[in-house]
Amino acid sequence: MGCDSSKAANQGQIIWILGYPSSGKTFMADYLATLDWVNVDGDWISQETDPKVLAKFEGLEEAIGKDVNEQPMTAKEWKVTQLYLKGLVDKAKAEAKKGINAAVSFVLYTKKSRDYIRSLVPTIQFVRIDVELSKMMASNRVRQTKMCEGYGMTLAEMYDQHVTPEEKEKLGGEYTDERLDKYFQMKYYSGLKDFEESEKAYTHVIDNNSYG
């Protein structure tokens, strides 16, 4: 029993920072990294180019879209979601095992996902970052502009390539800044469930509206 207690005392802490894109999740995780925490980036797959890795997580974007639109996932979609979340947890646990604190940053829309993560790490703490939508849209546009520049393209070209004809019809037509904002709102900025009363002991909310 004494050995178990010593082992637990040497374990690093794991927290999960969640919130909509451009709410400040990565900023907070990067700040914690200056305090010797490890930042486990939940969006790593957006930079992945290996076809074998991408094939492993085929259907993940569609599964996340179900959460955004508050629709039930299929069994296959939930399975790939669990696989992805477990991968993030495993990275954090590997650091915690070495006595290093780890912060995972990923949106995490539903209590079902939080419950799954707690089944893997019962001691985890969740921190939600809240920011007004208009501020997130402004930050997201800057973020997307930089990303497009890296690929040698404009926001209008990205919109034309990635937004389907059906989506364009819903949005009102060809590219404008406002339609780009509406596109991202439609794809990512809804469906994030509030913490429930039963989660009070391990959840925290930060109002980040003064940032930037």
Side-chain angles (χ1 to χ4, degrees):
M1 183 173 180
C3 292
D4 290 340
S5 299
S6 176
K7 185 177 179 181
N10 292 328
Q11 286 280 321
Q13 183 181 359
I14 300 175
I15 67 171
W16 194 291
I17 306 170
L18 59 109
Y20 286 123
S22 299
S23 61
K25 300 186 303 296
T26 302
F27 180 85
M28 177 170 286
D30 286 344
Y31 168 72
L32 289 173
T34 69
L35 305 177
D36 297 326
W37 286 59
V38 168
N39 177 3
V40 180
D41 182 9
D43 291 326
W44 66 266
I45 197 168
S46 64
Q47 307 297 321
E48 183 58 61
T49 57
D50 187 336
K52 291 183 179 179
V53 175
L54 293 173
K56 183 179 179 182
F57 297 105
E58 183 179 359
L60 179 64
E61 186 173 355
E62 290 77 8
I64 292 173
K66 291 287 185 70
D67 276 351
V68 172
N69 293 301
E70 301 185 52
Q71 299 172 345
M73 291 185 189
T74 64
K76 185 177 180 180
E77 288 168 339
W78 177 234
K79 185 175 181 180
V80 74
T81 299
Q82 286 178 301
L83 181 66
Y84 191 74
L85 296 178
K86 186 176 185 300
L88 298 178
V89 167
D90 286 347
K91 290 178 182 179
K93 288 174 73 174
E95 299 299 332
K97 190 175 181 180
K98 295 183 287 186
I100 302 171
N101 296 328
V104 184
S105 55
F106 191 60
V107 58
L108 208 64
Y109 287 90
T110 65
K111 184 177 183 296
K112 180 179 180 180
S113 293
R114 296 194 296 270
D115 287 345
Y116 172 66
I117 290 164
R118 286 198 73 234
S119 74
L120 302 174
V121 190
T123 59
I124 198 165
Q125 297 284 311
F126 295 104
V127 180
R128 190 181 78 231
I129 310 295
D130 283 354
V131 183
E132 292 175 3
L133 181 61
S134 60
K135 292 185 177 183
M136 289 189 288
M137 288 297 95
S139 179
N140 181 64
R141 199 180 301 164
V142 171
R143 177 184 180 187
Q144 296 302 324
T145 299
K146 290 180 179 179
M147 189 177 298
C148 284
E149 288 173 351
Y151 288 103
M153 62 194 305
T154 65
L155 288 176
E157 289 169 335
M158 179 193 71
Y159 181 91
D160 188 57
Q161 290 183 25
H162 291 280
V163 182
T164 67
E166 294 79 11
E167 289 170 336
K168 287 178 182 177
E169 185 176 353
K170 287 181 181 178
L171 295 167
E174 296 304 313
Y175 174 85
T176 66
D177 285 349
E178 291 73 19
R179 286 173 185 153
L180 181 68
D181 287 350
K182 287 182 180 178
Y183 169 72
F184 279 102
Q185 288 175 39
M186 180 176 69
K187 296 287 284 187
Y188 303 110
Y189 288 85
S190 62
L192 182 59
K193 300 298 184 183
D194 289 339
F195 294 137
E196 297 184 7
E197 184 65 26
S198 61
E199 301 177 280
K200 190 174 181 179
Y202 51 87
T203 56
H204 315 270
V205 178
I206 295 176
D207 183 339
N208 204 28
N209 280 298
S210 62
Y211 87 104

